[in-house]
Protein backbone atom coordinates (compact mmCIF):
# COMPACT_ATOMS: atom_id res chain seq x y z
CA UNK A 1 0.00 0.00 0.00
CA UNK A 2 2.79 2.44 0.89
CA UNK A 3 4.64 1.59 -2.32
CA UNK A 4 1.53 2.36 -4.40
CA UNK A 5 1.06 5.65 -2.57
CA UNK A 6 4.70 6.58 -3.15
CA UNK A 7 4.38 5.75 -6.87
CA UNK A 8 1.23 7.84 -7.15
CA UNK A 9 2.83 10.81 -5.37
CA UNK A 10 5.90 10.54 -7.61
CA UNK A 11 3.72 10.51 -10.73
CA UNK A 12 1.82 13.58 -9.50
CA UNK A 13 5.08 15.46 -8.90
CA UNK A 14 6.39 14.48 -12.35
CA UNK A 15 3.12 15.62 -13.92
CA UNK A 16 3.24 18.97 -12.16
CA UNK A 17 6.87 19.44 -13.19
CA UNK A 18 6.09 18.63 -16.83
CA UNK A 19 3.14 21.05 -16.82
CA UNK A 20 5.30 23.81 -15.35
CA UNK A 21 7.98 23.21 -17.97
CA UNK A 22 5.45 23.28 -20.80
CA UNK A 23 3.88 26.48 -19.48
CA UNK A 24 7.32 28.10 -19.28
CA UNK A 25 8.17 27.08 -22.86
CA UNK A 26 4.88 28.48 -24.17
CA UNK A 27 5.16 31.75 -22.25
CA UNK A 28 8.81 32.32 -23.18
CA UNK A 29 8.23 31.75 -26.90
CA UNK A 30 8.40 34.79 -29.15
CA UNK A 31 5.93 33.14 -31.51
CA UNK A 32 2.21 33.48 -30.96
CA UNK A 33 0.74 30.32 -29.44
CA UNK A 34 -2.90 29.62 -28.69
CA UNK A 35 -5.09 26.55 -28.29
CA UNK A 36 -8.84 26.18 -28.48
CA UNK A 37 -11.13 23.36 -27.40
CA UNK A 38 -13.74 21.54 -29.48
CA UNK A 39 -16.22 24.34 -28.72
CA UNK A 40 -13.78 26.86 -30.24
CA UNK A 41 -13.02 28.51 -26.92
CA UNK A 42 -9.52 29.53 -25.89
CA UNK A 43 -7.92 27.16 -23.39
CA UNK A 44 -4.50 28.81 -23.48
CA UNK A 45 -2.48 31.53 -25.17
CA UNK A 46 0.85 33.16 -24.54
CA UNK A 47 1.79 36.82 -24.12
CA UNK A 48 2.82 37.19 -27.77
CA UNK A 49 -0.62 35.98 -28.91
CA UNK A 50 -2.43 38.16 -26.38
CA UNK A 51 -0.45 41.25 -27.32
CA UNK A 52 -1.08 40.81 -31.05
CA UNK A 53 -4.76 40.10 -30.43
CA UNK A 54 -5.02 43.31 -28.41
CA UNK A 55 -3.28 45.31 -31.17
CA UNK A 56 -5.58 43.92 -33.87
CA UNK A 57 -8.91 44.03 -32.02
CA UNK A 58 -8.25 46.66 -29.32
CA UNK A 59 -9.55 44.41 -26.55
CA UNK A 60 -8.27 41.89 -24.06
CA UNK A 61 -8.52 38.15 -24.55
CA UNK A 62 -9.62 35.79 -21.79
CA UNK A 63 -9.44 32.04 -21.32
CA UNK A 64 -12.84 30.62 -22.20
CA UNK A 65 -13.61 33.31 -24.78
CA UNK A 66 -15.00 32.07 -28.07
CA UNK A 67 -12.91 32.60 -31.20
CA UNK A 68 -16.17 33.58 -32.91
CA UNK A 69 -16.74 36.66 -30.72
Amino acid sequence: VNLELAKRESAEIQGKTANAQLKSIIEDANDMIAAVDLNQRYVLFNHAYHNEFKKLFNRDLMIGASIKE
Side-chain angles (χ1 to χ4, degrees):
V1 175
N2 287 338
L3 182 58
E4 284 298 318
L5 182 59
K7 286 181 181 180
R8 188 177 308 148
E9 288 175 351
S10 177
E12 286 179 22
I13 291 169
Q14 289 175 352
K16 288 179 182 178
T17 300
N19 284 341
Q21 290 172 332
L22 182 58
K23 184 175 181 178
S24 177
I25 290 167
I26 290 169
E27 280 303 321
D28 292 344
N30 291 326
D31 296 324
M32 297 182 300
I33 300 172
V36 295
D37 62 15
L38 294 175
N39 296 318
Q40 298 182 337
R41 296 196 173 278
Y42 287 99
V43 293
L44 71 84
F45 50 84
N46 66 357
H47 286 299
Y49 190 94
H50 182 260
N51 291 342
E52 191 64 23
F53 183 94
K54 193 168 185 172
K55 282 183 199 175
L56 291 172
F57 301 107
N58 199 30
R59 64 184 181 104
D60 281 323
L61 181 61
M62 295 175 29
I63 297 295
S66 172
I67 64 171
K68 298 175 186 177
E69 296 173 354

